[in-house]
Amino acid sequence: MDCGLYVVATPIGNLGDMSQRALEVLLGVDLIAAEDTRHSLRLLRHFGIDTPALAYHDHSDQRALARLTDCLEAGGSVALVSDAGTPLISDPGYRLVRQVQDRGFAVHPVPGACAAIAALSASGLATDRFLFEGFLPSRPGSRANRLAELQRETATLIFYEAPHRVQDCLQSMVEIFGGEREGVLAREITKTFETIRRGTLESLAEFVAGDHNQQRGEIVLLVAGKEKQDGDIRPETAALLERLAQELPAKRAAAVVADLTGLKKKRLYDYLLAQKTG
Ligand code: SAM
């Protein structure tokens, strides 16, 4: 195994998502740096891995860092894992990766589960551009300020949210983005009670308020980016739409392009009507 730091993704719920390479790396390294050793030891034991583990987070003291870099200096290899998913994504590791690189050692990613990407991939929202926001501030005023800053963002927005705050957060989103904006609640991804629900923010807020179970477990919230005004339909989208409208009824052409781009069907249809009437 090559010397260096391996940043190893672990499952976000379903242990079947542990990759073969992740197992080989965790078995092969000399030391595992874990966000919470008790938590990670359960996972490692499940897979029969008994590599020594050490607690590491971004505020660990110099001794923990020294032990990791000593191991690298001696030609060894270290794996970094977090409690679940990809380390550094709303998890510790950023400082360690930089310091290891600055000391001239290689850092190798071992990719796997990440709640943000898993949620996006199954959301039905546009994926061509997205903005990962991580956790919003927990104080209502600060959260509202941050949402207001994002109000005009046209990329799909991805947030991590704590279950006890999801209802208030959705309510805030309704107030700031408007209840008609589309969003997705992605809860307990890969687990028994997995829920992926797409709807207007208003309908999601009602859904969560009306079912206490939706305020439990692990949650990703996604919000469709702000739509550009009619005149802003991209030239390539307009060309596709116009070409399709030569083959299909305008409504059908608009529906196909809406599926492909995430734009509103009605807006695309209105665009075609406007074209027709000159
Ligand atoms: N590093 C992790 C990753 O790659 O996704 C994220 C760690 S962050 C501390 C934990 C947050 O991720 C949770 O509060 C939740 O918002 C989200 N999350 C993690 N697992 C999830 C799951 N199975 N379903 C939905 N959200 C999840």
Side-chain angles (χ1 to χ4, degrees):
M1 153 158 285
D2 289 341
C3 160
L5 175 70
Y6 291 79
V7 182
V8 181
T10 57
I12 55 170
N14 188 325
L15 294 183
D17 292 334
M18 188 78 166
S19 76
Q20 186 60 35
R21 184 161 169 251
L23 291 174
E24 284 164 14
V25 167
L26 293 173
L27 206 56
V29 290
D30 300 290
L31 192 57
I32 297 175
E35 179 184 7
D36 176 341
T37 43
R38 269 183 317 173
H39 184 100
S40 294
L41 281 177
R42 278 200 297 275
L43 179 82
L44 296 172
R45 285 211 186 102
H46 174 87
F47 288 107
I49 294 167
D50 61 0
T51 307
L54 155 94
Y56 179 84
H57 48 79
D58 280 335
H59 305 291
S60 286
D61 59 20
Q62 287 300 318
R63 271 179 312 169
L65 183 67
R67 214 173 135 201
L68 298 172
T69 49
D70 284 354
C71 177
L72 297 174
E73 310 248 348
S77 50
V78 174
L80 171 69
V81 295
S82 58
D83 286 355
T86 302
L88 279 84
I89 307 301
S90 292
D91 266 341
Y94 168 72
R95 265 186 65 210
L96 179 63
V97 166
R98 283 181 72 85
Q99 297 198 8
V100 165
Q101 284 173 335
D102 289 348
R103 284 173 160 81
F105 298 106
V107 178
H108 312 282
V110 182
C114 172
I117 297 299
L120 178 68
S121 69
S123 68
L125 298 181
T127 54
D128 55 339
R129 291 172 54 245
F130 59 89
L131 179 62
F132 175 62
E133 271 289 307
F135 289 97
L136 283 162
S138 54
R139 301 233 309 272
S142 313
R143 179 178 60 210
N145 287 342
R146 183 68 196 128
L147 290 175
E149 283 165 8
L150 294 168
Q151 203 273 341
R152 299 182 66 77
E153 175 57 59
T154 54
T156 297
L157 302 169
I158 308 176
F159 303 93
Y160 285 163
E161 191 49 286
H164 61 280
R165 282 199 283 266
V166 66
Q167 191 178 348
D168 287 349
C169 181
L170 277 167
Q171 200 45 51
S172 238
M173 287 175 168
V174 167
E175 283 156 24
I176 292 160
F177 296 138
E180 281 305 303
R181 182 91 72 103
E182 203 169 32
V184 170
L185 171 78
R187 197 177 68 83
E188 295 287 89
I189 301 167
T190 74
K191 303 189 212 178
T192 310
F193 296 107
E194 178 178 272
T195 308
I196 309 280
R197 191 176 177 103
R198 177 161 60 89
T200 62
L201 289 174
E202 177 111 59
S203 73
L204 291 179
E206 277 168 19
F207 174 62
V208 165
D211 178 357
H212 199 71
N213 284 328
Q214 303 305 327
Q215 299 168 39
R216 295 162 69 165
E218 297 195 280
I219 295 169
V220 182
L221 288 175
L222 301 97
V223 179
K226 185 177 169 59
E227 286 192 12
K228 295 184 186 136
Q229 298 309 301
D230 277 347
D232 292 344
I233 291 179
R234 287 189 199 155
E236 61 274 21
T237 306
L240 173 69
L241 183 61
E242 286 169 31
R243 181 68 190 87
L244 275 177
Q246 290 168 4
E247 308 289 333
L248 299 170
K251 267 201 174 136
R252 193 74 208 106
V256 172
V257 176
D259 263 2
L260 292 174
T261 60
L263 294 172
K264 277 252 161 42
K265 194 164 63 183
K266 181 171 182 320
R267 187 148 73 76
L268 294 164
Y269 180 67
D270 288 347
Y271 172 87
L272 283 175
L273 286 189
Q275 293 296 104
K276 220 171 167 181
T277 55

